[in-house]
Amino acid sequence: MIQFHRVSLEYPVTRTLALEDVNLHIKKGEFVYLTGHSGAGKSSFLGLLIKSLKPTKGQVYVAGDPLAKFKAGRIAQHRRRIGMVFQDHQLLDHLSVFENITFALRITGAPAREWEERTMHVMRMVGLEFKRNSFPIQLSQGERQRVAIARAIVTNPVLLLADEPTGNLDPDVSWEIMALLDEINLKGTTVLVATHSREIVDRQRRRTITLRKGKLVRDDPNGGYAI
Ligand SMILES: Nc1ncnc2c1ncn2[C@@H]1O[C@H](COP(=O)(O)OP(=O)(O)OP(=O)(O)O)[C@@H](O)[C@H]1O
Ligand SMILES: [Mg+2]
C-alpha cells in the first residue's frame, strides 16, 4: 500500500533535512504507528503521502502508483482515496457536525442520495449521533477529534492517516479513539498513526516505525516505543 524508496526531504529556504534516505514498505491492511520526538519528521512523512510535500530524492508509492508522476487532477483523485485526520482536526467552524462530515462526501463526488445514510452511519460509529446539529465550538476536544475521524472515514478510504489523533486528550478518550481506529482497520483500511503517546504504542503492540532526526531508526513488528 505504501512504499518509500530512498526518500529524502529537504525543506527549501531553511534547508532542514526532515527525512533522510527512508526505505519502507507497508502492506495493505496493516496498522502501523509512526513515532519519534518532536521534529523527527512524522508530519513530513504523512505530507509526502498526500502529496502536500514532494521528496527531494527518492520515490513514494501509494497502492503501486509513483506519486511523482501525478499531475494536478490525479493528485485530487489520489487524495480522495485517503482519509486524513490532522492534529488540529481542521473542522469547518461554520458547519454543523453533520455538515462537516457530509462535506467530505460532497467533495469526493459521492451520490447525494447516499449522504444522509453514510453520514449517520459514521456519526453512530464515533458515538456522536446526538450532536449532529452542534457546531465545532460547542464540542469538547475529544468530540471534535471524533468528528475529524468520522469525516476521514465516511468516504471509505483505502488508507487512513492520523497525525497525533490523541494529542491533548485525556487517557480514557485516547483509548476510545484508538479503539475506533482499530475498528476501522478491522474493516480493511490500512491505518498509519503518528503519535508521541508511549502508553498507547506500548500497550497496543503493533508494528511501530521510529524516526530520529529524519532517519528511520527502528521498525519493530510487535510495537513498543523506543527513541
Ligand atoms: N515548512 C517547513 N519549513 C522548514 N522546515 C520545516 C517545515 N516543516 C517542518 N520543518 C522541519 O522539518 C523537521 C521535521 O518536522 P515535522 O513537522 O515533520 O516533525 P514531527 O515529527 O511531525 O514533529 P511534531 O511531533 O512536533 O509534530 C523539523 O526539524 C522541522 O523544524
Ligand atoms: Mg508533527
Side-chain angles (χ1 to χ4, degrees), residues 98-146:
F98 184 89
E99 290 161 346
N100 260 286
I101 299 168
T102 303
F103 187 76
L105 291 171
R106 192 187 292 262
I107 59 171
T108 53
R113 64 177 183 282
E114 295 179 4
W115 292 355
E116 166 102 21
E117 196 187 321
R118 288 174 67 174
T119 301
M120 288 309 291
H121 175 70
V122 291
M123 280 199 305
R124 276 194 290 273
M125 261 185 92
V126 300
L128 284 179
E129 65 271 39
F130 304 111
K131 299 277 185 181
R132 65 173 286 171
N133 296 319
S134 298
F135 289 86
I137 197 163
Q138 299 167 318
L139 302 176
S140 72
Q141 288 288 340
E143 287 167 345
R144 283 180 214 165
Q145 203 58 275
R146 282 186 276 155

Side-chain angles (χ1 to χ4, degrees), residues 11 14 16 18 37-44 196:
Y11 282 102
T14 60
T16 308
H37 286 308
S38 179
K42 304 179 296 295
S43 296
S44 303
H196 281 110

Side-chain angles (χ1 to χ4, degrees), residues 113-206:
R113 64 177 183 282
E114 295 179 4
W115 292 355
E116 166 102 21
E117 196 187 321
R118 288 174 67 174
T119 301
M120 288 309 291
H121 175 70
V122 291
M123 280 199 305
R124 276 194 290 273
M125 261 185 92
V126 300
L128 284 179
E129 65 271 39
F130 304 111
K131 299 277 185 181
R132 65 173 286 171
N133 296 319
S134 298
F135 289 86
I137 197 163
Q138 299 167 318
L139 302 176
S140 72
Q141 288 288 340
E143 287 167 345
R144 283 180 214 165
Q145 203 58 275
R146 282 186 276 155
V147 178
I149 292 172
R151 183 181 59 178
I153 62 174
V154 72
T155 55
N156 295 324
V158 291
L159 176 61
L160 180 67
L161 306 175
D163 199 351
E164 294 288 351
T166 61
N168 308 318
L169 299 181
D170 70 48
D172 287 348
V173 181
S174 297
W175 286 115
E176 275 171 33
I177 300 234
M178 293 323 298
L180 198 56
L181 295 176
D182 253 344
E183 194 180 325
I184 294 156
N185 175 243
L186 283 174
K187 290 186 177 152
T189 301
T190 307
V191 177
L192 179 58
V193 180
T195 183
H196 281 110
S197 173
R198 185 180 291 261
E199 288 100 298
I200 285 176
V201 172
D202 283 348
R203 243 164 79 176
Q204 299 273 96
R205 317 270 346 140
R206 299 279 201 167

Side-chain angles (χ1 to χ4, degrees), residues 67-85:
L67 300 193
K69 296 259 161 65
F70 288 179
K71 303 270 184 321
R74 189 74 180 79
I75 295 171
Q77 197 187 342
H78 166 67
R79 287 185 187 149
R80 286 199 288 270
R81 62 187 178 171
I82 296 179
M84 177 86 189
V85 182

